[in-house]
Amino acid sequence: MLTDLKRSLQNVDPMPLSDQRFDESHEWFEGQSNQQAQILGWLRRFGKSQIERRADDLAANGETFRVLSVGCGSGILDLPLIKTLADQIESGRNQTDVKDPVIHYTGIDPNPVACGRFRDEFDNLGTESVELSVLEETVESYDHNQSMDLTHVVHSMYYFGDPAVSLRTLIQNVADDGELVIFQAPKGELNRLADCFWQGHVSDPIWFSADLEKHLQETGISFTRSCLEAEVDVTDCFDDSCPKGRLTFDFIVQSDCEQLSAPIRRSVLEHLRSISRIDGQKIYAPHPVDIFVIHQSDEAQIQSDARVACSP
Ligand SMILES: C[S@@+](CC[C@H](N)C(=O)[O-])C[C@H]1O[C@@H](n2cnc3c(N)ncnc32)[C@H](O)[C@@H]1O
């Protein structure tokens, strides 16, 4: 079925989403899935345990906990994470403690619409313990001049120009005993669909989780891998007249579906139905994600330095 779709797409240039449409369709899509809540739960537990581990250092004046969110988008994931980390810091403070921010949270994303929303929403959080910088930068353009206690890359590595190079930069900038966490989808049934369209937008193959794992193994970087199973409700995609369904459809194919011919849209829906679970009136597509954790130890640093030294 996908072979036919790929053939039909050969002579078509699917139109990438505008910044506004990407931001809108991303938020809607995540709302239809139970994946983001699981990612958030995972990151909350992980971040809290990292802060607990550093509690004594952070209690002393001047010590900060640095977080980098790569491809933060509008902060729909970051804001609740920031709130949790801030609550953790604030609950451990005495009345007399200095109230300077102890968490420096940096979000980078090239989408100005999303960055603007992130900054505005953060102002409503009203937290004293977090200093936020949201920068309209890509992983490639950002000046990685500070080491991070926690760097997370949630569903943004697909968009990196050269994932291997950016990965090395990110690892080199993780502080001793800090972590780089990457959430990357497998090339499962849903993403095979996205990949058909994506290939028209980029010149190099997109990295899915198996590509990342292979790269980490080949370059000798230690990591752990686990998986979150999830599903996304795609029911509305099958209703042509539903604007919300068009948002889900657009995000799945990462393209403006209004610009696609009726046969191409039909092929997408046929594939979507064939991979989905039907529950009464609802249609759910599988939406798993893999989690990679790279812990910064001396060994990792030495290996990464050696590779830099050996590279041509
Ligand atoms: C699927 S969204 C994920 C947003 C957020 N991490 C989340 O999970 O809610 C991917 C984000 O990566 C951003 N992005 C695209 N190219 C990028 C690059 N080269 N470096 C960093 N981020 C990039 C996009 O603008 C988009 O906001």
Side-chain angles (χ1 to χ4, degrees):
M1 200 180 287
L2 281 182
T3 322
D4 289 347
L5 179 61
K6 275 185 192 150
R7 201 170 307 120
S8 323
L9 284 169
Q10 260 165 12
N11 303 319
V12 179
D13 243 347
M15 192 184 281
L17 299 172
S18 67
D19 287 340
Q20 178 78 39
R21 186 72 181 168
F22 186 98
D23 186 40
E24 205 184 340
S25 62
H26 172 244
E27 181 162 8
W28 174 256
F29 177 85
E30 295 299 351
Q32 299 310 106
S33 173
N34 58 2
Q35 188 197 87
Q36 196 167 61
Q38 295 188 64
I39 294 180
L40 180 58
W42 193 99
L43 275 174
R44 277 178 159 147
R45 287 190 297 278
F46 193 78
K48 280 172 80 171
S49 73
Q50 271 194 326
I51 286 181
E52 257 163 43
R53 213 166 68 207
R54 294 271 314 277
D56 290 345
D57 293 343
L58 295 172
N61 283 347
E63 286 286 327
T64 49
F65 184 76
R66 292 185 187 280
V67 183
L68 175 66
S69 169
V70 181
C72 55
S74 60
I76 53 175
L77 186 76
D78 302 79
L79 287 158
L81 176 63
I82 289 174
K83 175 89 177 71
T84 300
L85 301 183
D87 287 351
Q88 164 107 345
I89 294 287
E90 280 156 30
S91 68
R93 270 177 168 167
N94 297 319
Q95 297 281 322
T96 50
D97 282 351
V98 180
K99 297 286 186 280
D100 284 343
V102 239
I103 299 177
H104 285 235
Y105 200 104
T106 304
I108 57 171
D109 199 291
N111 185 335
V113 177
C115 288
R117 285 216 298 139
F118 191 172
R119 289 184 202 108
D120 291 347
E121 293 289 328
F122 176 75
D123 290 343
N124 298 331
L125 270 189
T127 165
E128 290 175 328
S129 50
V130 181
E131 184 177 72
L132 176 74
S133 311
V134 181
L135 307 170
E136 284 162 38
E137 301 274 2
T138 60
V139 69
E140 295 87 4
S141 67
Y142 175 63
D143 181 9
H144 298 260
N145 60 1
Q146 264 174 341
S147 55
M148 298 290 164
D149 298 297
L150 170 61
T151 296
H152 62 82
V153 180
V154 183
H155 287 311
S156 56
M157 193 173 269
Y158 325 105
Y159 307 91
F160 291 3
D162 187 337
V165 169
S166 297
L167 185 63
R168 190 169 65 203
T169 307
L170 292 175
I171 293 175
Q172 281 169 344
N173 286 283
V174 174
D176 280 352
D177 211 22
E179 266 108 1
L180 167 65
V181 182
I182 303 166
F183 289 78
Q184 191 82 345
K187 194 171 173 179
E189 292 125 326
L190 191 61
N191 287 315
R192 272 182 222 285
L193 198 49
D195 198 41
C196 296
F197 289 82
W198 240 330
Q199 296 306 343
H201 301 163
V202 292
S203 47
D204 294 315
I206 304 285
W207 275 22
F208 288 95
S209 58
D211 306 296
L212 173 59
E213 181 163 28
K214 184 164 172 271
H215 176 80
L216 293 172
Q217 283 165 344
E218 284 175 357
T219 45
I221 297 169
S222 309
F223 64 98
T224 61
R225 176 185 170 167
S226 52
C227 173
L228 297 174
E229 294 297 342
E231 285 186 324
V232 55
D233 182 347
V234 295
T235 316
D236 289 346
C237 289
F238 293 86
D239 178 357
D240 259 2
S241 62
C242 176
K244 295 296 190 195
R246 286 205 292 276
L247 284 177
T248 316
F249 194 121
D250 275 11
F251 194 76
I252 290 175
V253 299
Q254 299 274 299
S255 309
D256 185 346
C257 67
E258 294 281 293
Q259 308 289 327
L260 299 172
S261 68
I264 290 181
R265 284 212 297 263
R266 250 194 327 272
S267 293
V268 170
L269 291 175
E270 274 171 28
H271 178 78
L272 206 50
R273 194 181 287 277
S274 74
I275 63 167
S276 294
R277 174 176 76 83
I278 315 281
D279 184 358
Q281 302 292 308
K282 291 286 189 185
I283 306 174
Y284 296 99
H287 188 212
V289 62
D290 289 314
I291 312 168
F292 296 83
V293 179
I294 298 164
H295 181 86
Q296 186 65 286
S297 59
D298 292 344
E299 184 204 0
Q301 189 61 55
I302 290 161
Q303 287 184 2
S304 125
D305 288 348
R307 272 191 306 283
V308 176
C310 295
S311 55

